């Protein structure tokens, strides 16, 4: 077995283990959702727990037979890959204060810039996406969206 093949399998095992941890955490979180039984006999727990079980089973299958995977990213690519979840964590923390529009604008703009979009296109994409999703959730689906201090 070549060195690249061994590294590829090791990378696949790392990804599978990470996703298995995610499945367990997601399943535990989904199982703790409180709900009134009278509202729905199955309740909101079913979908997240079912998805966690499916993801967990697929992870066990992949851990047993990892196959080939891309090499683990290095250098600038690794920084961009790590910056995406960091951007999402920052967005979650700023959602109530900044509001939905600014949060979506921030997410789209930062991720577009991370992956090489020119600044004016990243800003335009962020503005269009924020307005589009605000319209969809607020008017079409009638979901409450936090306005934040700027628009509140």
């Amino acid at each position: 077995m070549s060195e690249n093949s061994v590294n590829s399998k090791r990378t696949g095992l790392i990804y599978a283990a990470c996703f298995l941890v995610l499945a367990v955490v997601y399943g535990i979180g989904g199982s703790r959702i409180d709900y009134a039984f009278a509202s729905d006999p199955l309740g909101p727990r079913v979908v997240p727990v079912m998805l966690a079980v499916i993801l967990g089973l697929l992870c066990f299958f992949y851990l047993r037979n990892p196959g080939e995977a891309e090499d683990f990213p290095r250098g600038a690519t690794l920084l961009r890959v790590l910056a995406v979840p960091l951007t999402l964590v920052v967005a979650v923390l700023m959602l109530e204060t900044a509001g939905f529009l600014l949060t979506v604008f921030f997410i789209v703009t930062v991720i577009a810039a991370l992956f090489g979009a020119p600044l004016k296109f990243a800003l335009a994409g962020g503005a269009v996406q924020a307005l589009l999703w605000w319209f969809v959730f607020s008017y079409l689906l009638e979901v409450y969206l936090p306005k934040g201090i700027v628009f509140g």
Side-chain angles (χ1 to χ4, degrees):
M1 199 178 279
S2 72
E3 180 67 26
N4 283 342
S5 180
V6 171
N7 286 340
S8 176
K9 287 188 184 295
R10 187 177 312 131
T11 301
L13 291 172
I14 291 170
Y15 287 138
C18 289
F19 275 104
L20 183 59
V21 170
L22 176 68
V24 170
V25 170
Y26 187 66
I28 290 170
S31 69
R32 293 184 178 180
I33 296 173
D34 291 328
Y35 68 97
F37 181 74
S39 66
D40 184 5
L42 294 177
R45 295 180 187 168
V46 173
V47 173
V49 171
M50 180 181 64
L51 290 174
V53 168
I54 291 169
L55 180 59
L57 290 172
L58 291 172
C59 289
F60 278 123
F61 174 75
Y62 198 70
L63 282 168
R64 185 178 166 119
N65 185 14
E68 298 291 322
E70 293 290 324
D71 285 338
F72 204 75
R74 291 184 176 90
T77 304
L78 178 61
L79 291 176
R80 284 196 304 267
V81 167
L82 294 175
V84 171
L86 179 65
T87 301
L88 296 176
V89 168
V90 170
V92 167
L93 294 174
M94 69 185 268
L95 182 61
E96 285 295 322
T97 306
F100 181 81
L101 279 171
L102 289 179
T103 302
V104 172
F105 174 78
F106 169 76
I107 292 169
V108 173
T109 302
V110 169
I111 291 177
L114 280 171
F115 287 93
L119 185 59
K120 66 180 180 180
F121 291 131
L123 291 168
V128 169
Q129 287 284 321
L131 291 172
L132 170 77
W133 291 115
W134 176 75
F135 176 78
V136 167
F137 285 117
S138 190
Y139 285 104
L140 297 180
L141 299 175
E142 297 180 357
V143 174
Y144 166 76
L145 299 173
K147 294 179 182 176
I149 57 175
V150 175
F151 299 107

